[in-house]
């Protein structure tokens, strides 16, 4: 069964591998160009190149280097977006046709009339597809960890922020397996490749957006940085390398009768001579930032990857249930 599944999907897998290899080469070229331009600008002390007038050799050289760095950074942004879309693209390539494609071409009847069980048939096909998307995704995710440090200024400051978090570490593989299983399940239920393709796009994006904004910030307990009296809201400690997830109230530890959030506005009227932050403190509340530091990167990666792998297993179970109920 593995050999038969490979013969069915080898062209798609080889094409995807070639595209992934080309993307990896592009990442290396962009990192090299960006780093070379950055070092040359620093070596030539071109910090003030924008104020240079005329067309002297120095001004021309600095402008050329600056343009090269800008081009590399623009390409880096495009690459990062391709990396974000990669798990969905691989899922679309392998998942919807995994079962629905067999039904549309009636090839499932030949398989199911042989000695191969439906369970073995589906498991073999799914395992091959899962291995393919994992092998294509994880090397790029590991390369991205190194690559982010060689495109300074192009993609933000820290790999823990959304967008960069999603293309590094182990979560890209979990996203790919989720997209694969989602496409296969929708194909098994709808029995149409086109319907499964559209459904995979819609549901994958909806789940990803919901997890990023509603679930990920609280998968690991965030740290809190209180706003000090006499200062503005400011930013949390290490804001360059951390991810700010919320700004709000926190009950002061050990305070016996703290005010709740909805009572604060009323209680402020009882201390008109105090500053806002001092008044909050009198009622057991602090204003400040909830944030995820860079040290929480791997715990967040592990927790989110476990969620998507759980989704993938549930969807595989739904696919198997649907396949076993069909008539040949």
């Amino acid at each position: 069964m593995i050999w038969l599944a490979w013969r069915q999907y080898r062209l798609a897998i080889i094409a995807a591998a070639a595209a992934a290899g080309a993307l990896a080469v592009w990442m290396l070229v962009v990192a090299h160009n960006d780093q070379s331009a950055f070092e040359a600008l620093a070596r030539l002390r071109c910090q003030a190149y924008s104020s240079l007038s005329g067309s002297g050799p120095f001004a021309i050289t600095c402008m050329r280097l600056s343009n090269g760095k800008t081009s590399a950074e623009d390409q880096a942004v495009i690459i990062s977006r391709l990396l974000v879309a990669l798990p969905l693209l691989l899922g679309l390539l392998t998942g919807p046709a995994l079962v629905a494609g067999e039904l549309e071409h009636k090839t499932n009847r030949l398989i199911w009339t042989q000695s191969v069980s439906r369970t073995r048939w589906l498991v073999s096909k799914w395992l091959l597809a899962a291995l393919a998307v994992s092998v294509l995704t994880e090397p790029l995710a590991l390369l991205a960890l190194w690559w982010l440090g060689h495109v300074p200024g192009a993609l933000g400051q820290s790999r823990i922020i959304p967008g960069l978090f999603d293309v590094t570490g182990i979560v890209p593989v979990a996203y790919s397996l989720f997209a694969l299983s989602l496409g296969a399940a929708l194909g098994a239920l709808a029995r149409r490749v086109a319907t499964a393709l559209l459904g995979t796009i819609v549901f994958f994006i909806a789940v990803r957006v919901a997890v990023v904004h509603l679930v990920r910030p609280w998968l690991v307990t965030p740290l809190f940085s209180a706003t000090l009296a006499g200062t503005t809201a400011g930013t949390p400690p290490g804001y360059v390398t951390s991810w700010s997830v919320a700004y709000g109230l926190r009950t002061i530890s050990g305070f016996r009768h703290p005010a709740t959030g909805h009572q604060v506005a009323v209680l402020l009227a009882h201390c008109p001579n105090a500053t806002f932050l001092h008044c909050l403190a009198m009622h057991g509340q602090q204003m400040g930032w909830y944030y995820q530091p860079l040290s929480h990167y791997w715990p967040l990666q592990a927790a989110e990857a476990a969620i998507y792998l759980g989704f993938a297993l549930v969807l595989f179970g739904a696919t198997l249930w649907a396949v076993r109920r069909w008539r040949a």
Side-chain angles (χ1 to χ4, degrees):
M1 279 304 303
I2 294 290
W3 174 246
L4 178 60
W6 163 248
R7 288 181 62 86
Q8 285 182 300
Y9 298 107
R10 60 185 176 184
L11 293 180
I13 293 174
I14 292 173
L23 182 59
V25 171
W26 189 13
M27 292 170 66
L28 294 174
V29 171
V30 167
H32 175 268
N33 292 343
D34 185 85
Q35 193 70 21
S36 298
F38 177 81
E39 292 174 355
L41 286 168
R43 183 173 61 253
L44 296 176
R45 299 181 180 179
C46 291
Q47 294 90 340
Y49 71 89
S50 59
S51 64
L52 295 175
S53 60
S55 56
F58 181 72
I60 293 175
T61 299
C62 287
M63 186 62 68
R64 176 178 57 80
L65 291 172
S66 176
N67 290 339
K69 189 174 189 308
T70 300
S71 175
E73 292 179 351
D74 290 342
Q75 294 178 65
V77 173
I78 296 173
I79 290 173
S80 68
R81 291 172 181 172
L82 290 175
L83 290 173
V84 169
L86 180 65
L88 175 58
L89 295 176
L90 291 175
L92 293 175
L93 182 66
T94 55
L98 191 74
V99 175
E102 300 277 5
L103 292 173
E104 289 188 353
H105 293 92
K106 310 298 183 183
T107 52
N108 62 302
R109 295 181 179 179
L110 174 63
I111 298 296
W112 294 350
T113 55
Q114 307 301 313
S115 59
V116 178
S117 68
R118 297 186 186 190
T119 299
R120 180 186 172 191
W121 170 80
L122 179 61
V123 169
S124 299
K125 288 169 64 69
W126 190 89
L127 285 177
L128 177 66
L131 178 62
V133 299
S134 300
V135 169
L136 292 174
T137 304
E138 186 55 25
L140 286 174
L142 295 177
L143 177 61
L145 274 174
W146 169 87
W147 181 71
L148 291 175
H150 291 75
V151 282
L155 300 170
Q157 301 297 328
S158 174
R159 66 178 183 267
I160 200 172
I161 65 173
L164 304 186
F165 181 92
D166 307 82
V167 301
T168 58
I170 59 177
V171 292
V173 172
Y175 299 156
S176 298
L177 294 176
F178 169 62
L180 161 66
S181 297
L182 178 61
L186 292 175
L189 296 173
R191 307 192 184 191
R192 292 290 183 272
V193 173
T195 303
L197 283 169
L198 179 60
T200 300
I201 294 173
V202 172
F203 285 107
F204 182 88
I205 293 176
V207 171
R208 290 276 286 106
V209 170
V211 170
V212 168
H213 293 286
L214 301 178
V215 179
R216 184 189 299 170
W218 315 107
L219 282 175
V220 177
T221 302
L223 302 184
F224 183 82
S225 175
T227 301
L228 300 178
T231 65
T232 59
T235 53
Y239 71 95
V240 173
T241 57
S242 65
W243 173 33
S244 302
V245 298
Y247 184 74
L249 293 170
R250 183 185 74 162
T251 299
I252 297 175
S253 178
F255 204 92
R256 291 189 177 183
H257 303 289
T260 59
H262 68 276
Q263 294 174 322
V264 169
V266 176
L267 293 173
L268 290 177
H270 296 282
C271 47
N273 296 323
T275 64
F276 175 69
L277 293 176
H278 280 141
C279 186
L280 288 181
M282 291 168 60
H283 296 105
Q285 296 290 327
Q286 286 178 314
M287 288 290 292
W289 283 101
Y290 290 92
Y291 68 99
Q292 295 287 0
L294 185 58
S295 60
H296 287 183
Y297 173 79
W298 284 112
L300 284 172
Q301 283 268 325
E304 187 163 330
I307 289 174
Y308 280 97
L309 290 176
F311 287 162
L313 291 176
V314 171
L315 289 166
F316 174 76
T319 306
L320 182 60
W321 172 81
V323 168
R324 290 173 63 88
R325 291 183 70 251
W326 289 341
R327 294 181 180 179

